[in-house]
Amino acid sequence: DVKVTQSSRYLVKRTGEKVFLECVQDMDHENMFWYRQDPGLGLRLIYFSYDVKMKEKGDIPEGYSVSREKKERFSLILESASTNQTSMYLCASSFQGAPGGYTFGSGTRLTVV
Amino acid sequence: GENVEQHPSTLSVQEGDSAVIKCTYSDSASNYFPWYKQELGKRPQLIIDIRSNVGEKKDQRIAVTLNKTAKHFSLHITETQPEDSAVYFCAASPDSSASKIIFGSGTRLSIRP
């Protein structure tokens, strides 16, 4: 009964490559989010979206972009991967206007070499 | 923007004892405070949350307290068990629909047998 699916569990990319991380949810949630998780830094918000084709910057958007062409899918794009983007990336979703927390995906551990 | 600080970063307690994790937040507009538990290799999951019109909330062995004046909130786990070992994240949001959540840096809780 997985509700938020991230396309890759582990990913290794080279410096300078364009990287796409995909997230799909089947709960009809309006809100979708991308976080990165690093030891000692917790979960930091990269980008989020309240609706299709809508996006807002989080706290650390530099070096990233996002795309939300369909309600159920939210993609994180690393335009030119760098080694400091090696991290665990977590996607999450939630309902708009309803109480409750996020549902997280399982995460993608990205290594940039 | 909102800033959430969490202490301690690591906590080790004897099985059966209590554990307390403390957080402070900066934005007085925040009114929803969820707590997430992340077991090793798994996704974060919501374990309890509290809204600003409530001072305390309990769910079996877990309780959260909120002091809006001082802008701090705490997680209390009583009668700790081995399965409580995990990383715990506190968080703050401007609304209970979780349109945007800012997380603390996490506390790694270890339960000693």
Side-chain angles (χ1 to χ4, degrees):
Chain A
D1 90 317
V2 174
K3 307 290 189 193
V4 179
T5 303
Q6 294 184 229
S7 55
S8 303
R9 189 78 173 100
Y10 299 95
L11 212 51
V12 180
K13 295 293 181 181
R14 294 194 180 278
T15 301
E17 276 193 76
K18 190 169 186 176
V19 182
F20 293 85
L21 302 184
E22 305 288 343
C23 176
V24 176
Q25 51 94 5
D26 63 0
M27 296 171 288
D28 203 33
H29 284 169
E30 294 87 0
N31 304 331
M32 295 189 76
F33 309 84
W34 276 106
Y35 287 84
R36 64 178 280 178
Q37 181 176 13
D38 301 288
L41 297 177
L43 285 76
R44 293 180 291 166
L45 182 62
I46 305 171
Y47 267 98
F48 58 106
S49 169
Y50 294 150
D51 201 352
V52 175
K53 297 195 185 292
M54 175 273 171
K55 61 184 179 183
E56 285 199 31
K57 293 180 180 179
D59 295 325
I60 53 164
E62 297 78 19
Y64 304 94
S65 63
V66 290
S67 172
R68 189 148 182 220
E69 296 296 319
K70 293 185 178 181
K71 187 176 184 179
E72 66 270 19
R73 185 181 297 270
F74 192 35
S75 303
L76 180 69
I77 303 158
L78 285 66
E79 297 291 343
S80 178
S82 63
T83 55
N84 62 12
Q85 293 179 308
T86 292
S87 186
M88 170 67 83
Y89 290 88
L90 285 164
C91 174
S93 67
S94 68
F95 276 119
Q96 184 83 295
Y102 293 168
T103 300
F104 279 94
S106 297
T108 295
R109 183 164 295 283
L110 172 67
T111 302
V112 183
V113 298
Chain B
E2 176 65 275
N3 182 52
V4 178
E5 294 192 356
Q6 182 171 349
H7 302 280
S9 57
T10 60
L11 180 60
S12 178
V13 301
Q14 194 75 33
E15 182 177 350
D17 287 351
S18 295
V20 180
I21 301 170
K22 298 182 178 182
C23 292
T24 60
Y25 63 99
S26 61
D27 189 349
S28 56
S30 289
N31 58 22
Y32 174 66
F33 306 91
W35 286 86
Y36 286 80
K37 175 183 180 182
Q38 186 178 29
E39 297 177 10
L40 190 62
K42 297 189 176 180
R43 69 191 75 191
Q45 292 199 308
L46 179 70
I47 55 171
I48 195 167
D49 55 16
I50 191 168
R51 290 168 179 78
S52 58
N53 58 348
V54 175
E56 183 176 2
K57 182 177 179 180
K58 289 184 179 179
D59 182 3
Q60 300 182 354
R61 298 184 297 106
I62 293 174
V64 291
T65 58
L66 172 65
N67 183 326
K68 279 220 75 176
T69 303
K71 294 186 194 165
H72 62 70
F73 55 116
S74 301
L75 177 72
H76 304 252
I77 306 174
T78 58
E79 300 173 7
T80 53
Q81 300 171 3
E83 55 265 34
D84 295 329
S85 292
V87 177
Y88 291 81
F89 293 98
C90 63
S93 178
D95 61 78
S96 61
S97 66
S99 57
K100 178 182 174 182
I101 293 180
I102 302 301
F103 288 84
S105 55
T107 296
R108 182 173 298 279
L109 174 63
S110 301
I111 308 300
R112 303 191 303 271

